Amino acid sequence: MYSIHMNSIRYLPKGETKYDYKMYAFVHPEVVEDKDSFSLLEGLKIMGYDVQIKDSPVLKEDIKGNLKEFVSTASCCGEKEFLKLYSYTLLQHKVVVH
């Protein structure tokens, strides 16, 4: 995000670039249900994120073969890691970085 901001119209002097950006946060419903996470969600909004509450687009039970167990241990979030795939649905933007 830093390098995108540093090359945007929000940072550079007027006329040096024509690019701007919009930030999205795809957040799993479990975070919304967690009372302690309320301030996190509000913080994201204050920082300018468009917060989108989404279920994982790929559920562990839908994965076949050895990949099913790998997904659980490959990252901190398991199948919730697939939330970033929603960035490919942002068709209103010419470029998306996740």
Side-chain angles (χ1 to χ4, degrees), residues 18-90:
K18 60 182 178 179
Y19 300 106
D20 197 7
Y21 60 90
K22 181 170 182 176
M23 299 181 298
Y24 293 86
F26 298 109
V27 178
H28 194 272
E30 287 178 4
V31 173
V32 177
E33 294 166 8
D34 182 358
K35 292 178 181 128
D36 294 332
S37 295
F38 178 76
S39 60
L40 168 70
L41 295 175
E42 287 306 306
L44 288 169
K45 290 176 186 176
I46 289 168
M47 290 188 300
Y49 282 86
D50 181 346
V51 176
Q52 305 279 318
I53 310 302
K54 303 275 192 181
D55 281 316
S56 180
V58 179
L59 302 177
K60 184 178 173 184
E61 55 266 17
D62 294 336
I63 299 171
K64 300 194 180 359
N66 295 336
L67 184 58
K68 180 182 279 194
E69 293 310 313
F70 179 74
V71 166
S72 298
T73 60
S75 70
C76 67
C77 309
E79 70 268 12
K80 293 178 193 81
E81 191 71 34
F82 294 127
L83 283 168
K84 66 178 77 171
L85 294 174
Y86 283 114
S87 62
Y88 295 106
T89 67
L90 301 172

